[in-house]
Structure formats: structure tokens, C-alpha cells
Amino acid sequence: MQYHGKPSEVSSRVFTPFQKQVLAGLFALLILLGAPTVRAQNSSESQPSAGSPPPAPKSPALVDTAGPDISLQNSEALFDIAAALNACGYDQGLTSADPVRQEVREQVNQALQASADARDAHEKICTFIEQHRLSDSGSDLAQYISLALYVTPPPELTPSAEGAEMPPDASGVENILPLLRRFSQLVDLHLIWLKVRPQYDRQLSQLHDSLTKMIDDTGIYLKTPAGITSGRRFLVVIEPLLDPAQTNARVYGADYVVVASPVNGAIHMREVRHAYLHYQIEPLLYARATVLDRLLPFLKTVKDSPLDYTYRSDIVALVVECMIRAVEARTMDTGVTIYKIAADTRRSDLEAATHQHNASVEAAEAVRRRAVQQSMADGYVLTEYFYNAFAAFERQPQSFKESIGEMVYGMDVSQQLSRVKSITFNQESSSDVVHRSPRELRGLDLAEMKLMKGDTDGAGALAQQSVTDKSGDPARADFILARVAIMHRDVPGAQHDFEETIRLSKDPRMLAWSHIYLGRIYDIQDQRDQAVSEYRAALTVRDGQADTRLAAEKGLKQPYAVPQQVHTEPAKDDDAAPDTQPH
């Protein structure tokens, strides 16, 4: 395999046996720690066809790529599918639903009574729904929600994606669409939609303030303003024709979609917030997936828990959910009113007032601790650790993004393992409201995944193809090629590609760590002045992350030295794999 590169002064340098040994250690360390990962849970791998750049994964049809990162909306395509389900016996949550649901059902029934053709279309679509019914009612509904999110508006009602780009559960019911188009036309669902649309818009208006407050409150707690997610989107879609007790949250690549059924302008905001916390937290942890390998022993502790297989097999998913449950416990409404000591309290009454205040604080804390212990018993065994970590976070000025590294890397794994081994698990666990759609990785995303799995030839080929075809971010491609070169013991190639990354990239994270890697390479070549220059450049970039600052400052204090046991020692903050995923 050949990778682009140019000769440099390093290529003619003669290394001493000791330097060669140190180089080998550096290579091993960077193999262990230096490959940033992309979010790729449950993803299939496929090599893109030669000669043409692979298409980017498609977002749901509702997503406006030029629109806001966070939006609240309705969908006529979802309305059509929900109306068909209601017409075919979907009665779940009917008695507690918004009045508009019964209104739509009555109008559909009137249209069926007036037309034999409409009744024929109704019979055929109901037969399809019955034949594709799943034993789990939640999964049965979810497959139609997934389909609706990937369908163009009426009258076309056609898939907005094809093949592997469609959510797998939606693919199983995609053949309902011809039947839906005929049913929609003969019943004139568009006319019914126009009649009830004002009620839908009124629900959106009523929900706007409460959703905005939830977003703002969450941002205040995490010290992370909304609207800085760089291409990721969070959509809340309302459909009053569905069961108001069910909130269906789906993740399609970088798009988080929550479907909720409002009643008089209210939805289960706690579940929407849970999905929003996934939206905020997941990318930060999946970008650090490699160094989370030190937490893999926790998967053994939950093998007999009632957790879903995802959480028993994916340490990143388990850590994400534990962290979210910790946030929810710390911010929950405990139902306990905290007694406030009045400013004019007399000195003689102060002791009693203080006792009353402390008692109310302790009562609220007890409620929160019970929620934490419930999560622990459900199998989310790191909830208590993160609950305590967030208590410290609340007292510090740093944002969540700046603090997450310390939360994760600062964990005493042995101590936590000892604590969780004594947990008695519940027989059944509460399920997560968020479900992911498997997504096929392509291009540089696939290259990152291959690199993480040790397939350097595959990663290098995809990155080189991206450079040749000019089909992706050239700086990111060079950054991948630099790490591939390191793993192939190609010092000149690695140095060249890190320099190219610096020349082409505007991403602070990628720039800073390219300088740090170059500094370490110079250090092991006894070129201390050049190494110091690179570490200083890394600090100048100011990517705002603690691990970058610590690594660069350590490089300035003393020449880089490879740890003795690079394969067994857990990652430290200053040597941890950088979150270099472009933002």
C-alpha cells in the first residue's frame, strides 16, 4: 500500500538502538491512544465503489439542512400514516388522547361510508398492517414512525432514501406506501389535514415555550449554549393521533428526532429532555470511545443485569446512559420544598430555622439518592459515580465539554468495580426512550472506524481515495493518513501528513493534536528545540480542551517519554486519545 508523502530530513536520519526502541514505544502508544473514533454504534461496514465518491448518509425527510439545529414541527406524512393506523384498529391511548384524534377518526369514517372504493382501499391497507404486526406494541408503532420520517409529503408519499439509507425497521413496512397513497386519495386525507391543521399549529405554539425552557435549563446546567452543534439536529415532531403515553425518540446518524403526542399543548417533557441529553452528551463520549476501553471491565459486571443488549455490549452506550441518569437525578423535581431561612429571622430562632432547612435539603437528597440506586439496580452501574462527579461539576466554572474528560479519565476504575460488584440487580429494567437506526458508514467516517479496529490498510486506502477524489475534508484525510503512517512505522510519511493537516485544517482540535504529535516525534529524535516549538504552537491554537493543554504543557516541561507499559496502563489525561472529531 502506498500513501502520499514527500522526503524530509527525518528520512536520512540514523537512529541509535535506544531511539529505535523509543520510536517503537511511541508507535505502540499512538496505536493504543491516538486514533479518534466516530460514532458508529450498530453500523455496518461497506467499501464504497471505486471511481466515484460515496453519497453522504441522508437525513430524515423532515430535516431542513439549512434550518435551525433545534426545531419543533408537524408532518403531514406522519399524519397520513397515523390516520391509517387509527382507521385500522390502533386504539392505544385513545381515551387520554387530545380531542383532535377522535375528530379525525370520525371524518375518516364518514369518508369510508360514502365510498365503496375508499372502503376497498381501507380493507387492503388494514390487511397489510395486520400482516406486519409485531408482538411488541412499541416496536410495532416505531416501524411506521421511522417510515413516516423518511417519506416525502403527500401526494407523493415516496421514500426519501433508498436501500441501506432507510432505517431497517422502516424497510420492513415500506411496501405500505402504494396502499397509503390510494387510501389517502380516496379518503381525501389532505382535506382532513387542512381542517385540523390549525389545531396542530396551536399545539406547536403552546409547546414552544416549554420546549424552549427545557433546552435553556439544560444548557444552563451543562454550561453549554444551544445552537453550537455544527450540523447535528434535534427535532421534536408532534402527532396527536398517537398514544400520548408513548414518546418515540430516534437517532439517525447526526439527526435526533423525537415524536410525541400532545394533549392540550402538553407532552412528556421529561422524556424529550432525556433524548436531548443524548443529543448533547453522546457525541462528546463517542469521540473518546477509544480511551473508554479502560472501562470495559464494567461490561462483565452487568452481564447478568436486566439491561438491553446494547448496554451490556457497548461500554460507550452504557457510560452515556449512566451519565444522563446522573444528570436527571441531580436536577429532578423531588417533591420536597426546601425551607428557606428568612433574612429577618431572629437570632433566637436561627438554630431551629437552620435545622428545618437542613432537614428539607436532606429529604430532597434522599429522594435523589433513591433514584440513583434504582438506576444502579437496573444495571446502570456508573450512575452513582457520575452523580457525585456532577456535584463537583456544579461548583466549577468550566463547561460540561471542558469537564467531561476529567469526569471520565479521572475515574478510579478499580475502586468503582469493587463498589458495583455488590449490587443486586432488579429482575426487569426500565428501557431507554432513545432508539438508534443502524447507519452505513462511508468515506472518512468508515476510515476512522477501520483505523480504530486496526485495519490500517483499509483506513489508509479510504483516506487516500478521499484525497485523490477530493470527496471529503482533505485535512481530516491527512490526519488519518498520518496516524496510518505511524502505525506502519513510516516516520517521514507521518511527519509530512501531520504538517499537511496543519496546513489545510481550520479545526482547532485537529491542529492542536497534530502539533503535539509532531512535538513528540521531534522529542524522540532528540530535536528538542523543534519539539518545544510544536508544543507552543499547540497551545497557541487554543482548542479549549483540558487534555490538549495538559499534553502541550507537559511537553514544554520535559521531553516526551513513552510509558513503560503502554498496553496495560490506563490512559492519563495528558496522554489520552484526543477528541479530534471535527466539529
Side-chain angles (χ1 to χ4, degrees):
M1 187 70 62
Q2 293 184 346
Y3 305 101
H4 73 285
K6 63 182 180 181
S8 70
E9 60 180 358
V10 179
S11 62
S12 60
R13 179 177 176 83
V14 178
F15 296 103
T16 66
F18 172 74
Q19 288 172 327
K20 289 180 180 179
Q21 182 180 3
V22 176
L23 270 175
L26 174 64
F27 295 144
L29 183 67
L30 292 183
I31 289 172
L32 179 66
L33 300 178
T37 59
V38 294
R39 178 195 174 136
Q41 184 181 4
N42 297 332
S43 296
S44 59
E45 297 182 20
S46 67
Q47 184 78 18
S49 58
S52 61
K58 290 187 177 179
S59 297
L62 278 176
V63 172
D64 179 4
T65 56
D69 290 347
I70 301 172
S71 61
L72 174 65
Q73 55 191 283
N74 51 41
S75 162
E76 187 176 356
L78 179 57
F79 168 82
D80 280 12
I81 288 181
L85 291 173
N86 274 265
C88 295
Y90 171 67
D91 295 334
Q92 194 167 352
L94 182 60
T95 57
S96 57
D98 192 90
V100 72
R101 183 175 178 184
Q102 188 61 44
E103 182 181 335
V104 170
R105 288 164 70 104
E106 290 173 357
Q107 292 187 47
V108 170
N109 285 335
Q110 292 174 7
L112 292 176
Q113 293 172 7
S115 169
D117 289 341
R119 291 193 296 274
D120 178 69
H122 172 254
E123 181 180 353
K124 289 180 178 178
I125 199 169
C126 291
T127 298
F128 180 95
I129 291 172
E130 182 60 34
Q131 290 174 345
H132 291 78
R133 193 177 303 280
L134 301 179
S135 57
D136 178 73
S137 61
S139 299
D140 187 48
L141 176 62
Q143 62 184 338
Y144 291 104
I145 290 178
S146 284
L147 178 64
L149 296 174
Y150 275 83
V151 169
T152 60
E156 290 82 7
L157 291 173
T158 56
S160 62
E162 297 180 356
E165 299 294 345
M166 284 289 285
D169 56 347
S171 299
V173 292
E174 186 178 340
N175 288 336
I176 197 177
L177 293 179
L179 302 175
L180 180 65
R181 284 192 289 272
R182 183 167 183 262
F183 176 77
S184 176
Q185 180 182 12
L186 293 172
V187 174
D188 203 352
L189 283 181
H190 182 63
L191 179 61
I192 297 175
W193 166 252
L194 292 177
K195 289 180 180 178
V196 299
R197 177 69 183 271
Q199 296 183 58
Y200 276 62
D201 290 342
R202 187 159 52 250
Q203 299 266 18
L204 291 177
S205 178
Q206 291 173 315
L207 281 169
H208 178 270
D209 289 347
S210 59
L211 180 63
T212 299
K213 184 179 186 304
M214 182 276 289
I215 298 293
D216 289 345
D217 288 348
T218 304
I220 290 171
Y221 182 80
L222 297 178
K223 306 164 195 173
T224 305
I228 56 172
T229 51
S230 301
R232 296 186 302 108
R233 286 176 173 78
F234 184 81
L235 284 73
V236 177
V237 184
I238 66 162
E239 183 41 72
L241 304 189
L242 303 177
D243 179 7
Q246 279 194 325
T247 300
N248 197 291
R250 315 287 292 181
V251 180
Y252 304 106
D255 302 307
Y256 290 63
V257 184
V258 181
V259 176
S261 180
V263 178
N264 296 323
I267 57 177
H268 293 282
M269 195 59 71
R270 180 183 180 277
E271 295 181 355
V272 177
R273 182 177 187 247
H274 187 94
Y276 184 69
L277 284 167
H278 273 275
Y279 170 76
Q280 287 287 358
I281 292 174
E282 278 188 348
L284 298 177
L285 283 191
Y286 274 99
R288 293 170 167 82
T290 304
V291 292
L292 288 182
D293 285 352
R294 63 192 287 262
L295 306 185
L296 285 172
F298 287 103
L299 293 183
K300 295 181 180 180
T301 70
V302 299
K303 61 183 177 64
D304 296 325
S305 74
L307 289 177
D308 181 82
Y309 176 75
T310 297
Y311 300 114
R312 287 186 284 113
S313 61
D314 184 340
I315 188 60
V316 185
L318 178 63
V319 171
V320 167
E321 188 64 19
C322 291
M323 191 172 282
I324 288 173
R325 286 169 177 260
V327 172
E328 290 175 331
R330 293 210 63 84
T331 57
M332 69 184 294
D333 180 2
T334 63
V336 177
T337 301
I338 302 300
Y339 180 80
K340 296 181 179 180
I341 303 175
D344 58 351
T345 301
R346 292 180 298 179
R347 183 180 296 273
S348 58
D349 297 331
L350 185 59
E351 182 177 353
T354 301
H355 176 77
Q356 191 170 351
H357 169 77
N358 291 342
S360 65
V361 170
E362 291 173 3
E365 177 65 8
V367 173
R368 288 192 289 268
R369 288 286 178 179
R370 283 196 294 271
V372 169
Q373 294 308 314
Q374 176 64 43
S375 291
M376 299 282 282
D378 282 345
Y380 302 104
V381 295
L382 290 172
T383 304
E384 185 174 27
Y385 167 79
F386 285 119
Y387 180 86
N388 295 329
F390 273 106
F393 163 76
E394 292 168 8
R395 298 189 292 269
Q396 298 170 353
Q398 289 82 9
S399 70
F400 175 66
K401 184 176 180 180
E402 294 170 323
S403 303
I404 190 171
E406 182 178 353
M407 281 189 188
V408 176
Y409 308 142
M411 182 190 303
D412 185 330
V413 175
S414 297
Q415 182 185 70
Q416 295 303 317
L417 282 171
S418 297
R419 288 182 177 179
V420 304
K421 286 179 180 177
S422 61
I423 296 175
T424 300
F425 293 119
N426 295 327
Q427 294 299 310
E428 296 182 0
S429 176
S430 56
S431 60
D432 190 3
V433 299
V434 175
H435 303 277
R436 287 154 192 81
S437 173
R439 177 68 74 185
E440 186 178 27
L441 292 182
R442 299 175 183 272
L444 294 179
D445 287 338
L446 180 57
E448 291 275 11
M449 178 55 64
K450 287 183 178 292
L451 188 60
M452 184 187 74
K453 293 182 176 181
D455 181 4
T456 55
D457 287 345
L462 288 170
Q464 184 63 62
Q465 181 180 342
S466 175
V467 172
T468 303
D469 297 341
K470 299 180 180 180
S471 57
D473 179 357
R476 187 182 176 198
D478 280 311
F479 193 67
I480 293 171
L481 288 169
R483 287 171 286 153
V484 169
I486 284 178
M487 295 182 187
H488 285 187
R489 309 293 196 270
D490 178 7
V491 176
Q495 182 168 346
H496 169 265
D497 289 322
F498 280 130
E499 289 171 349
E500 282 295 287
T501 303
I502 292 170
R503 185 177 70 85
L504 296 172
S505 180
K506 295 182 179 179
D507 180 79
R509 192 77 169 150
M510 203 182 298
L511 285 170
W513 276 94
S514 292
H515 283 299
I516 291 170
Y517 287 155
L518 283 174
R520 291 174 177 179
I521 289 175
Y522 283 129
D523 262 339
I524 62 174
Q525 298 171 29
D526 292 331
Q527 299 181 37
R528 182 59 179 160
D529 289 344
Q530 289 175 275
V532 168
S533 177
E534 295 294 341
Y535 295 134
R536 286 175 176 165
L539 290 174
T540 302
V541 171
R542 297 181 183 276
D543 83 328
Q545 298 300 299
D547 58 340
T548 305
R549 177 179 55 79
L550 290 172
E553 289 178 349
K554 185 175 181 180
L556 289 173
K557 290 178 182 177
Q558 60 187 24
Y560 179 73
V562 181
Q564 292 293 321
Q565 297 178 326
V566 297
H567 291 293
T568 58
E569 291 296 319
K572 305 297 182 185
D573 279 2
D574 55 352
D575 283 333
D579 165 16
T580 45
Q581 181 67 17
H583 300 295

